Amino acid sequence: MFRKLMAGEFGQVRAEMIARDHVLSSLGGRTADDALEAGTGAKEVWIAVCEAFDVPGNRR
């Protein structure tokens, strides 16, 4: 579901780039992919991405 939400919000290519490359301080200085691999819940990662990219609340 996380990947689907990311692609829906950012487009497939940009979503993959963000998940792989964008370091989020709210996730302990990890990327979304790193956080997911470390066991952080997808919902927590999605919220962190939304906050970092100012995704409106109705699309979170």
Side-chain angles (χ1 to χ4, degrees):
M1 183 62 136
F2 173 77
R3 295 284 180 205
K4 186 175 183 177
L5 290 170
M6 287 286 288
E9 184 63 35
F10 302 107
Q12 187 66 40
V13 173
R14 185 167 183 232
E16 291 301 319
M17 181 190 72
I18 290 169
R20 180 187 64 235
D21 299 330
H22 190 83
V23 175
L24 299 157
S25 60
S26 62
L27 294 175
R30 296 179 289 184
T31 66
D33 282 348
D34 290 341
L36 290 167
E37 288 177 24
T40 305
K43 183 176 182 178
E44 183 179 344
V45 175
W46 172 244
I47 290 170
V49 170
C50 289
E51 289 173 354
F53 287 89
D54 295 323
V55 175
N58 65 333
R59 294 199 314 254
R60 293 183 184 194

